Amino acid sequence: MHIDARLLDDRSVIEGDICIIGTGAAGLSMALEWVDTPYKVILLEGGGFEYDEKVQELYNGKILGHPYYPMKSSRLHYFGGSTGHWGGMCSTMDEIDFVKRDWVENSGWPIRLEDIAACYPRAHKNLDLGPYEYDVKYWQKQEQSFVPMPLEDEILWTKMWQLSPPTRFGTKYKDAVVNAKNIHLYTYANVVDIQATENISAIKEVTVKNHAGKQHTVRARYFVMACCSIQNARLLLASNKQAPAGLGNGNDLVGRYFMEHIEIGTGELWVNKPESLVLYRRTVHKQQAELAISRQKQEELKLLNATVAFVPLDIAKVMEPSVKTWSEDDPRKALDKWSKYYQNAYKKGAFRHVSLPFQKYQAFGLYTRSEQAPNPDSRVTLSKEIDALGVPRADLTWQMTPIDKKTLRAITQLLGQQVGKAGIGRVKMADFLLDEKDETVPPEASGGWHHIGTTRMSDTPKTGVVDKNCKVHGIENLFIAGSACFPTSGAINPTLTLVALTLRLSDHLKEQIKANHQA
């Protein structure tokens, strides 16, 4: 069922069993789990089914730290959320991503990989991925051209990825949501405030507004915040009438530990004889691989998790960092400009058929993606500027640490040692990595549009915002879905894992509702 909140009588009261705020990958994955259940689900979307400039402008804010994409265009504010422009790359996290690492401050999850892995197959279906298989040997049997580099797995191992079409949640799942009798989708229903009980132990209602001047109240037994990491933190911080520092922020942790994936060219690979390296390149296949640092080497050298892929050097040399090419405030213009630039880079390659998957090359550019160490000073804060609906804007300070730079250098060194030892070729390290005493990450280091952290998961409110079931510490009926809950990011794109974590949260809520009903 769909209702346009602009058409409701002003000051309407909307009531249900569960209120889900946001319709991106997390919000819609949650809603779909409740279709045809006996519970009334209120699904709130701040925009409509199409792009709306006034609504998108509510996401505007300032970048105060390391150069980053414009706040307004780094996310999408309409039905389907940022799945409207995601690239579709998916892989699973690794066991080491979840453990406490003594060389990575603030690392460690209160759950383990197996707790999420149980939901990965279901997440595969939501994302239109292939079989739940990430063993390179399995994919070698499916595609003969997938030949792994003969390197030592205990140093660098071949990590598989799968590519979603990519699934546009707003398109694929619109009918299922709108036609569900128990799902009540309200578009143009921007949450501007969250009100708790007098002792702030539970949430009783949220206030929504829109540009039509309408204001409504939504009440439910359970609330799930499924906005992006930036918006989740913004709403909690801005809901400060009862708790001056913001809801869930008794220990000044809401908004902190914002993480991205550091993506940057780290050098060149020159091979002794021309190679296609098709397994490690994004080509026509729905699977690809990257070389990842083994757990053994991460522990030995005190590194973060990271991966490296290969781009034909003629293309790599003419490609500008994404942080420079994605520069428009309008996300449509930003995507168009970025896509055209990417396509032109391929056209400028020296070889006539440089973009063909089986073309062989003598040299490749190294494209590295690294986990970012959780840093409390990398954070989302409230601005003094107010948006059109009266909510303080969010400002972003993205900051790096020395171990981030150390990891970029180390994976390049390890690759050079390995290809030399195997007699494959040689690696030329990028200039910015040559000085081992230089701990700064250069401004051209881009992110993957992966907003992670800001309401991190922890066993105790002293070190995190939500518990192992994604419930906000101290507030019995407020949950957060998505990558905002990740304590660490791993080295892979977050979509598959955030959907799996959301499905786990949905299972927990169903158990809790059932238990409360029987009590």
Side-chain angles (χ1 to χ4, degrees):
M1 182 183 302
H2 168 236
I3 305 97
D4 187 329
R6 297 174 300 180
L7 305 180
L8 293 174
D9 292 337
D10 194 24
R11 306 282 175 172
S12 292
V13 176
I14 303 165
E15 296 182 304
D17 295 300
I18 301 171
C19 174
I20 303 170
I21 305 168
T23 64
L28 286 180
S29 292
M30 172 68 74
L32 291 169
E33 288 289 298
W34 293 82
V35 171
D36 293 332
T37 64
Y39 305 104
K40 181 179 180 181
V41 177
I42 308 299
L43 181 59
L44 303 178
E45 166 55 51
F49 293 115
E50 304 292 340
Y51 181 87
D52 186 314
E53 174 62 23
K54 287 185 177 181
V55 175
Q56 188 67 32
E57 205 278 333
L58 298 173
Y59 273 172
N60 216 342
K62 295 179 181 178
I63 303 298
L64 303 176
H66 185 93
Y68 195 63
Y69 310 112
M71 286 279 276
K72 181 180 172 182
S73 64
S74 65
R75 306 154 286 161
L76 294 178
H77 201 354
Y78 58 92
F79 188 75
S82 295
T83 64
H85 67 196
W86 79 304
M89 293 185 66
C90 294
S91 188
T92 57
M93 295 185 78
D94 304 322
E95 287 185 1
I96 193 172
D97 297 327
F98 292 81
V99 304
K100 173 65 179 176
R101 293 166 277 175
D102 57 15
W103 65 95
V104 182
E105 192 173 0
N106 303 304
S107 62
W109 293 50
I111 60 176
R112 292 291 175 261
L113 174 60
E114 54 263 32
D115 296 316
I116 291 181
C119 295
Y120 272 146
R122 289 160 60 193
H124 258 234
K125 295 180 180 179
N126 286 27
L127 299 169
D128 296 310
L129 295 171
Y132 179 54
E133 287 284 351
Y134 288 89
D135 186 339
V136 65
K137 293 180 180 179
Y138 172 88
W139 291 109
Q140 279 183 272
K141 294 178 181 178
Q142 318 306 314
E143 176 52 60
Q144 293 183 350
S145 66
F146 283 176
V147 180
M149 296 179 73
L151 309 181
E152 298 171 85
D153 283 349
E154 62 267 25
I155 296 175
L156 292 174
W157 63 288
T158 296
K159 183 174 179 62
M160 290 300 304
W161 294 68
Q162 295 195 46
L163 303 181
S164 169
T167 302
R168 305 301 182 199
F169 275 51
T171 300
K172 179 173 182 178
Y173 298 118
K174 177 182 176 181
D175 288 346
V177 169
V178 171
N179 294 332
K181 294 180 180 179
N182 68 311
I183 308 294
H184 298 252
L185 167 65
Y186 290 82
T187 53
Y188 294 97
N190 286 276
V191 175
V192 298
D193 191 32
I194 305 172
Q195 296 90 43
T197 56
E198 187 174 347
N199 61 357
I200 317 181
S201 63
I203 302 303
K204 60 180 182 179
E205 62 188 36
V206 300
T207 301
V208 301
K209 290 184 179 180
N210 52 50
H211 289 90
K214 301 290 183 64
Q215 176 176 313
H216 311 297
T217 298
V218 180
R219 295 172 182 156
R221 295 166 59 190
Y222 299 93
F223 292 86
V224 179
M225 299 180 68
C227 310
C228 67
S229 294
I230 295 175
Q231 189 69 0
N232 283 337
R234 179 191 181 194
L235 286 176
L236 289 174
L237 292 172
S239 299
N240 52 23
K241 295 176 182 176
Q242 297 167 288
L247 292 174
N249 198 33
N251 292 290
D252 190 27
L253 293 174
V254 173
R256 292 189 183 273
Y257 300 100
F258 173 85
M259 294 170 286
E260 250 278 14
H261 288 112
I262 302 172
E263 301 189 357
I264 190 170
T266 51
E268 301 171 3
L269 168 65
W270 289 80
V271 292
N272 296 333
K273 61 179 182 179
E275 301 280 359
S276 66
L277 296 183
V278 65
L279 176 60
Y280 303 96
R281 293 171 47 212
R282 191 163 190 177
T283 59
V284 296
H285 299 290
K286 292 183 179 181
Q287 301 81 32
Q288 67 181 72
E290 295 180 351
L291 291 173
I293 307 176
S294 70
R295 177 170 183 168
Q296 177 180 330
K297 275 299 172 181
Q298 289 182 54
E299 293 174 343
E300 175 188 337
L301 301 178
K302 310 302 182 186
L303 304 174
L304 300 169
N305 210 341
T307 65
V308 62
F310 306 106
V311 180
L313 187 58
D314 295 81
I315 298 173
K317 282 187 172 181
V318 297
M319 288 178 63
E320 290 285 344
S322 295
V323 74
K324 292 185 178 181
T325 57
W326 188 285
S327 57
E328 300 287 339
D329 278 332
D330 187 322
R332 299 166 299 178
K333 294 180 180 179
L335 179 60
D336 183 62
K337 178 180 177 181
W338 180 83
S339 299
K340 287 181 179 178
Y341 187 90
Y342 194 85
Q343 293 167 4
N344 288 337
Y346 270 81
K347 292 178 182 178
K348 291 177 182 178
F351 299 109
R352 182 178 180 184
H353 299 297
V354 72
S355 62
L356 293 179
F358 300 106
Q359 182 78 24
K360 294 185 177 181
Y361 311 98
Q362 194 82 41
F364 298 84
L366 306 180
Y367 187 76
T368 297
R369 178 191 302 101
S370 177
E371 172 187 16
Q372 181 185 355
N375 175 9
D377 294 326
S378 185
R379 63 186 301 195
V380 172
T381 55
L382 292 183
S383 169
K384 293 182 179 179
E385 185 179 346
I386 306 299
D387 71 17
L389 299 183
V391 181
R393 295 191 184 279
D395 291 337
L396 176 63
T397 303
W398 184 28
Q399 291 193 10
M400 315 293 183
T401 58
I403 194 174
D404 298 328
K405 178 70 168 289
K406 177 184 177 182
T407 300
L408 295 173
R409 181 182 294 110
I411 190 172
T412 311
Q413 290 175 328
L414 291 171
L415 179 62
Q417 294 165 2
Q418 282 288 288
V419 298
K421 185 176 181 179
I424 297 172
R426 291 291 184 270
V427 165
K428 178 183 178 182
M429 186 176 288
D431 290 344
F432 80 92
L433 294 174
L434 295 178
D435 184 357
E436 293 188 10
K437 296 181 180 179
D438 183 0
E439 297 179 334
T440 60
V441 176
E444 61 266 27
S446 303
W449 297 273
H450 307 153
H451 301 162
I452 301 168
T454 72
T455 59
R456 67 198 322 258
M457 182 188 294
S458 176
D459 277 330
T460 168
K462 292 182 179 180
T463 55
V465 178
V466 303
D467 66 14
K468 65 180 182 180
N469 293 315
C470 300
K471 183 185 75 67
V472 175
H473 285 295
I475 303 179
E476 63 185 31
N477 65 341
L478 180 60
F479 298 82
I480 296 180
S483 56
C485 300
F486 292 13
T488 53
S489 67
I492 52 95
N493 296 24
T495 305
L496 175 60
T497 299
L498 76 85
V499 170
L501 187 61
T502 299
L503 299 178
R504 179 177 179 272
L505 167 58
S506 182
D507 291 345
H508 171 73
L509 273 177
K510 288 180 179 179
E511 292 177 2
Q512 188 165 338
I513 287 180
K514 182 179 180 180
N516 290 341
H517 180 72
Q518 293 175 343

